[in-house]
Amino acid sequence: MSSEQTPTVTPASAPKIGFVSLGCPKALTDSELILTQLRAEGYETSKTFAGADLVIVNTCGFIDDAVKESLDTIGEALAENGKVIVTGCLGAKAGAGEGTNLVKDVHPSVLAVTGPHATQEVMDAVHQHVPKPHDPFIDLVPEARGVAGIKLTPKHYAYLKISEGCNHRCSFCIIPSMRGDLVSRPIGDVLSEAKALFESGVKELLVISQDTSAYGVDVKYRTGFWDGKPVKTRMYDLAARLGEMAREHGAWVRMHYVYPYPHVDEVVPLMAEGLILPYLDVPFQHAHPDVLKRMKRPANGEKNLDRLRRWREICPEIVVRSTFIAGFPGETEEEFEYLLDFLKEAEIDRAGCFAYSPIDGAPANELPGALPDEVREERRARFMAVAEEVSIAQLQRRVGATMQVLVDSAPALGRKGGVGRSYADAPEIDGTVRLLPPEKASKTLKVGEFTRARIVAVEGHDLIALPI
Ligand code: SF4
């Protein structure tokens, strides 16, 4: 979903993970990595076994007492909770028979067992039993990330926040009243942070804000400095510099929350050149000019379609993701159908839709013509049915193509396959590329690395691909 104020988001309570860390400082570091990752993904921790959705026990296998303590702790966790993942040194110990595992011998009902330094394998097991809760655009956006700030995302991708607040006053939104007007971060700081992230191994940088295309408006596109050279606080300059840096590091830059303003036209050639990903996350919210006016949206409905067409002429690979609101106060059936037509004509690759629901303090609450809940819901469902058709047709076109895929998960070095994303898929919000086991025995997949893959099928919102 979008970082904008969308009316129907009711965050469900986050799943809780119990965690016991036994052993030496090295084991503790492993625990910190796993806990950091859990937090980054929106899981909470539970102080008790009983109050958790799942328990992770990081074990020690150094001396007999430590082995006993670890096995006893696993037993307690199983008795009180039932869902237990074991990691750490004891997890690597063989059992009595050939090819067996000590922990599995004693406690056959544990869900998964890994050795030490296995954050990704532990996370894979957690995801399998307690799905990820988090929406990175709401939960995780750090307030301000220093150059050496703690990164709470998986090691290979990171969010780069370029501004706070918003100068618009959309009638359904209360973000400006909570966070104030747009305040752009100095371009030098933003670029320094990006450099540090790339140098730390980030392979995909996700640029976020409330309105990325407005970057620098508040400081009149002031000229800042980076790397001893002048650079303007402007979306184009930011995208170009980030793109150059990403190229040096063999990484991706993905822009979120871009409004279809005229000046975005000049950013599209950077996508065609491959400097930044040809992916645009444009929160249209509606298409009918009258509804957009009532919403007080910054972009003009009639021109959006033309602009999208022009962008695709310059860069045919562009993928557009967007969010919409169905059943806004006063929306007529005709206005709604106009929106459905837009969705088809604009060939929106990924669309999310919320049934309008009022937010305390939003001016739209005072608008006449509030629609009954059933109508709003019914329109949302109709919207999603069309969106799915459009999206699947777009995905079908990729079958047979070879794409670059960033690997997000690959247990056992991908021998049984894995999960990744192409340029068309932002983490958490879009589909994925499900990777089949490679045909060549020598081919491995590693989390945070790219692989080329041939798309062989579409399944729901995901692609199925063969790594090559
Ligand atoms: S552009 Fe509109 S919806 Fe987005 S944050 Fe600003 S006021 Fe809210």
Side-chain angles (χ1 to χ4, degrees), residues 154-202:
K155 198 167 166 274
H156 60 287
Y157 66 81
Y159 296 97
L160 179 68
K161 192 182 205 179
I162 59 167
S163 60
E164 257 299 353
C166 181
N167 284 348
H168 303 297
R169 295 293 180 265
C170 301
S171 57
F172 55 81
C173 177
I174 55 168
I175 283 181
S177 65
M178 292 188 317
R179 302 200 190 155
D181 284 341
L182 176 78
V183 179
S184 300
R185 289 180 62 199
I187 185 117
D189 290 2
V190 171
L191 291 172
S192 297
E193 184 180 341
K195 183 167 183 264
L197 289 169
F198 285 132
E199 284 174 353
S200 75
V202 162

Side-chain angles (χ1 to χ4, degrees), residues 2-5 165-176 210-211 259 261 283 285 295-298:
S2 147
S3 82
E4 298 198 312
Q5 190 63 42
C166 181
N167 284 348
H168 303 297
R169 295 293 180 265
C170 301
S171 57
F172 55 81
C173 177
I174 55 168
I175 283 181
Q210 303 306 142
D211 179 356
Y259 282 87
Y261 298 132
Q285 308 298 11
M295 288 179 164
K296 292 204 167 36
R297 292 296 285 165

